[in-house]
Amino acid sequence: MDVIQRYKLLLALLSIGFIGNLIVVYYLIKGFSYGQIGIATSLSVLGAFLFEVPTGIVGDRVSRKLSVLIGFSIHTLSTVVLILLSNFPMLLLYSLLAALGAAFVSGSLQAWLFDNLRHLKKEKEYRRIMKDAKSITIPLSAVTLITGAFLAQFYGFILPLFLSLVVELSAVVLVATIPEYDFQRIDKGYLTMPSARSANL
């Protein structure tokens, strides 16, 4: 399987969601109040915002592959926490881990793909690859969500959560097998505003 095929497979794995928005139902079954669910959801949104810069530094200055690998690994850990979920602190921990994992992957995955395509002199294929991936990921996401809903209805949430964990572990292994060619470190100030003079240049 070549690099491009592995990327497509990775994007397909990303789209597999046996839980999706049904996670709120899972929270309610676990006995959490609407207020607790709201706090956890808000913490996840806030975390995604706060983690964007520090995780972006890893992707831009250290390695995009490493950033994606860390992100997938953290998200896998968050699913383990979700399976074992039993109290409010664990719910908050899950929300933070899920946001942190997503922040590490955000931006770095697409940039890593484009960098590798450029190394292979196939950067013009980027849009086609993303279009092909979307034609697979959208129906796959819909089918797996419906499947997860019926599995949860008849067997409880542990089965779809376990299947999600298997998919995420598979994605971590797949990420590890994809090379990173010619990574170019991006040096820029993340916490400083450009001066008026430099902005006008």
Side-chain angles (χ1 to χ4, degrees):
M1 186 182 296
D2 64 23
V3 171
I4 295 176
Q5 289 174 326
R6 276 181 275 178
Y7 268 113
K8 288 182 178 180
L9 177 57
L10 180 59
L11 292 172
L13 291 176
L14 267 175
S15 69
I16 294 176
F18 291 102
I19 299 297
N21 292 333
L22 295 173
I23 195 169
V24 176
V25 180
Y26 178 63
Y27 293 158
L28 292 171
I29 291 174
K30 285 290 184 177
F32 296 109
S33 68
Y34 295 141
Q36 289 174 320
I37 295 172
I39 291 171
T41 304
S42 298
L43 185 63
S44 181
V45 174
L46 181 61
F49 172 75
L50 294 176
F51 296 145
E52 192 67 28
V53 169
T55 56
I57 292 173
V58 174
D60 288 342
R61 296 187 177 180
V62 182
S63 165
R64 293 194 173 104
K65 175 179 178 176
L66 178 62
S67 181
V68 173
L69 188 58
I70 291 172
F72 273 81
S73 299
I74 291 175
H75 200 276
T76 301
L77 177 60
S78 75
T79 300
V80 174
V81 173
L82 193 60
I83 292 173
L84 301 175
L85 189 63
S86 61
N87 54 52
F88 188 51
M90 288 185 72
L91 178 59
L92 297 180
L93 176 62
Y94 164 74
S95 298
L96 285 174
L97 287 175
L100 181 61
F104 268 109
V105 175
S106 175
S108 291
L109 180 61
Q110 288 80 5
W112 179 26
L113 168 59
F114 187 81
D115 286 349
N116 279 357
L117 288 175
R118 183 171 54 194
H119 172 82
L120 298 170
K121 302 187 185 306
K122 295 182 178 181
E123 63 268 28
K124 292 182 180 180
E125 296 185 27
Y126 177 80
R127 290 183 182 276
R128 181 184 61 79
I129 292 170
M130 296 305 293
K131 184 178 179 180
D132 290 347
K134 188 174 291 186
S135 68
I136 298 171
T137 57
I138 292 176
L140 186 59
S141 177
V143 170
T144 53
L145 180 56
I146 293 172
T147 302
F150 280 102
L151 289 175
Q153 180 176 350
F154 294 111
Y155 303 104
F157 274 90
I158 294 302
L159 180 55
L161 282 171
F162 179 76
L163 291 175
S164 297
L165 180 61
V166 171
V167 170
E168 290 164 10
L169 286 171
S170 301
V172 171
V173 173
L174 182 59
V175 168
T177 69
I178 301 176
E180 181 174 41
Y181 301 117
D182 299 335
F183 171 73
Q184 295 180 1
R185 173 188 170 114
I186 300 176
D187 291 311
K188 63 179 180 181
Y190 285 85
L191 301 177
T192 57
M193 295 295 290
S195 65
R197 180 178 181 276
S198 62
N200 291 327
L201 292 178

